[in-house]
Amino acid sequence: MNHHKTIYRSQAEQYEELVSRQPDLDLELAEIRPADGLDVVDLGAGTGRLSRYLASGSASYIATDLSQSMLDVLAAKAAAGGYGQRIRTVVADHRELPLPDASADLVVSGWSIGYIASSKEPSWEAGLETVMAQLRRILRPDGTVVILETLGTGVDEPVRLDFLAPYFERLERRYGFAHRTVRMDYPFPSVEEAARVCGFFFGDWLAERICSRGWSVVPEHCGIWWKHDFGQLG
């Protein structure tokens, strides 16, 4: 976790070099709930992996993250892409969102709640409950939540990692989220480039696996969980 915190706080551009290689999720997100005309909040937005789609047609788009450097990269990307005027960035923790009650129609959180809800965290259950309460508070009664988390990097089939499995089960059984799996592979021009970029974030174990397997396309599985009518009166 400290390794990743260092990356998020001070190596945002290197992180963007990794995640920018993944495919868009526009169709998958639109199938759950189109963002057009909605007030959207992107929790743990990072460098803006989902921001172009979420900001482009929405009525408003707020990106939150704990790292200002990640949000700076997001803002630069948005400016270069011509949608910078449509975004607002906010440094915030999921458990204490500085956003008004009933102000969002759609909340999307990609690869971020898992840091709070990992069973490696002693108080993960209370942490997840607090996040869910915040989502209910900021969403309108007919609001939708979409959560994306990893189901394994560098593996042939989707896998629920031991420290995330209780969180996923809680989403499905306690909160009633539907879910499915999509591929989010990382393509690279060479095996060497794949090992360098992925090793930076995931560690030497993955760099070694990439080299031994001869992967220039590194497999990544993603789980998508969603729930409609999640707002205060839902």
Side-chain angles (χ1 to χ4, degrees), residues 151-164:
L151 288 176
T153 306
V155 293
D156 297 320
E157 300 292 336
V159 59
R160 295 192 171 198
L161 301 172
D162 290 346
F163 58 89
L164 293 176

Side-chain angles (χ1 to χ4, degrees), residues 49-211:
R49 199 181 322 195
L50 306 173
S51 62
R52 180 195 53 77
Y53 166 73
L54 293 175
S56 294
S58 60
S60 69
Y61 170 76
I62 298 173
T64 78
D65 202 276
L66 278 174
S67 168
Q68 182 64 61
S69 63
M70 299 285 271
L71 293 175
D72 289 344
V73 173
L74 183 156
K77 283 174 55 179
Y83 58 94
Q85 74 283 358
R86 302 183 60 82
I87 71 169
R88 174 187 164 204
T89 61
V90 178
V91 175
D93 187 297
H94 298 344
R95 292 161 290 194
E96 193 173 355
L97 296 170
L99 302 175
D101 294 356
S103 59
D105 302 299
L106 173 64
V107 173
V108 179
S109 181
W111 304 274
S112 63
I113 295 176
Y115 286 109
I116 294 170
S118 163
S119 63
K120 293 180 180 179
E121 297 295 319
S123 57
W124 76 268
E125 293 169 296
L128 179 59
E129 187 71 26
T130 300
V131 173
M132 292 294 111
Q134 284 290 293
L135 299 188
R136 287 192 189 281
R137 180 184 66 78
I138 68 171
L139 277 164
R140 297 185 176 113
D142 62 348
T144 298
V145 181
V146 181
I147 296 172
L148 304 100
E149 301 286 2
T150 185
L151 288 176
T153 306
V155 293
D156 297 320
E157 300 292 336
V159 59
R160 295 192 171 198
L161 301 172
D162 290 346
F163 58 89
L164 293 176
Y167 156 43
F168 298 158
E169 183 176 355
R170 184 67 58 93
L171 287 179
E172 294 156 17
R173 295 193 177 185
R174 180 181 179 91
Y175 299 106
F177 279 68
H179 64 97
R180 59 192 176 95
T181 303
V182 298
R183 289 295 290 261
M184 291 287 287
D185 296 353
Y186 301 95
F188 294 92
S190 68
V191 173
E192 294 74 20
E193 184 75 355
R196 179 185 67 81
V197 176
C198 291
F200 154 76
F201 185 77
F202 294 104
D204 291 342
W205 72 269
L206 183 55
E208 292 168 2
R209 185 174 178 83
I210 289 168
C211 293

Side-chain angles (χ1 to χ4, degrees), residues 16-23 185-189 193 196-197:
E16 170 64 9
E17 184 182 9
L18 171 70
V19 299
S20 64
R21 297 177 182 274
Q22 292 184 295
D185 296 353
Y186 301 95
F188 294 92
E193 184 75 355
R196 179 185 67 81
V197 176

